[in-house]
Amino acid sequence: MKHKYLYRSFLFQACFLSAMPLFAQNVMTNEAVSAPQANATGNGQTANAPRPQSRRENLNLTEKQTAFLNHLLDKVGDDGLIGEKKEVTAHHLTGESLISASLDYARAIHSGRLSASDFDKNWGMKPDPYDPWPDFKNAVNNNTLSDWAANLPPPYSGYAGLKNGLIYYRAIAEKGGWPVVPTGADLTVGSDNPRVKTLRRRIAIEDKELPDNGSSHFDAALKAAVKRAQQRYGLNPTGVVSGQTLQALNQPVKSRIHQIMANMERWRWLPRNLPENRIQVNVAAAVLTLFEKNQPVMSMKSVTGRPGNETPMLRSTIYSLVINPPWNVPDSIAKKELWPKEKAHPGYLQAAGFKIIGESGQGQRLQQKPGPRNSLGQLKFDFPNSYSVYLHDTPGRGAFSRYGRLESHGCIRLEHPVALGERLLAADPAWTGDRLRSEIDKNETERVRLKQPVAVFLFYWTAFGNGENALSFRSDPYKWDELLAQKIEAIGQSVQGQSNNS
């Protein structure tokens, strides 16, 4: 019951945003640390690499414990630590080989398959170091291996839901997957052709509420099912099947399995305790949620980085906010976008409120003065990180009306920044009432320290749900799911092969 509120956090955001299914993301509190030392499940050593003999003394497995651990290793696929379950062969390890394989399994299920070198540069959220040996030794000596194994996976309902979902989608794959709905004109109520029959069969595989009666007529029941599917995929639930909906429906089931595996791995990067008060952003869904005492109290749309300007995954702490911030333009944006505009339209920079700092030819840079037209808007939320990203307001509001909102250079633009700022300042009696709005109206730059700093987490959730039915998915705009799943499969196959040869 320690994390009984965590799955509720997934359910809050869609109540706030009708375009999205019920979910939120739970992320961690501690400062970023290095990944664990390498091991066979993703940290560089072989599966059976011996440990110092002093750590092995007086540890003898009983016949029952040997059978239990081999059975545990046989179920490694259930946690997405390998690719297809059919790749697994029964384990018959004993002694040191079984102990080494069990320890490597424990590291993988607790903290993930990847080593530090396997992390993409934008995956700034890494697992805390974990040594399974002390707990394993105690479990063997006290004959409590079952409890030890049960406490290895992430203790979150979000992870458990994905594990159930992995079983659900692998069962679909074993039955041959689902049919591809042919492209063509939009399908809507009244459509009557063979494509509708295929559409009905495709959706019915995931949607238990829709019977596959073989009809080629698009009726009200099918429209309702299409809407449910669109909500699961984060699309506008119109009930009309057009390009984006077809693309989501026609993703191979193996791609969905890979998404589940990738998201399960990300859950394993989380620490075992989360801060009660935190801000978390799902970069893939472009949604921010504020938690207080582990309860979601505010949610809003955001705009996150476009492919090529990815918003990284990270964890940090917001200590202050800046009222009417100037924008110190990154050189990359100035060179690619702003200087060319000035060249094409002389006077553009001055008209847009930019000033040039520095002498010509000596590393000039641009700064945009504070004000309503400033690209950071009227409020910025700072948090230490090596990526130079932050949360901020924006004068451009059009993106918030769209379902796809990956349009920034990497920072996170907020739909309701002032409301968030007021909530974060609520603990400070000097900032009650409308003071924040009054300070904004002065059009002067001011940094305000938070009386109670708040943890902030940027994560990349593209699959989530309780696993009892079809999961909800988001697109993988950065192609991180496939990359991560391939890494997991490669390491898993290597470890599996080593175990089979032992």
Side-chain angles (χ1 to χ4, degrees), residues 213-230:
N213 57 16
S215 172
S216 61
H217 180 70
F218 198 122
D219 55 16
L222 182 54
K223 179 179 180 179
V226 169
K227 283 186 173 183
R228 290 192 295 271
Q230 290 168 329

Side-chain angles (χ1 to χ4, degrees), residues 44 87 120 133 226 236 335 373 383 399 411 427 464 482 485-486:
E87 296 172 2
D120 181 269
W133 172 254
V226 169
N236 188 4
K335 291 177 181 178
R373 297 182 60 190
F383 47 90
C411 289
F464 41 85
E482 191 63 29
Q486 289 174 356

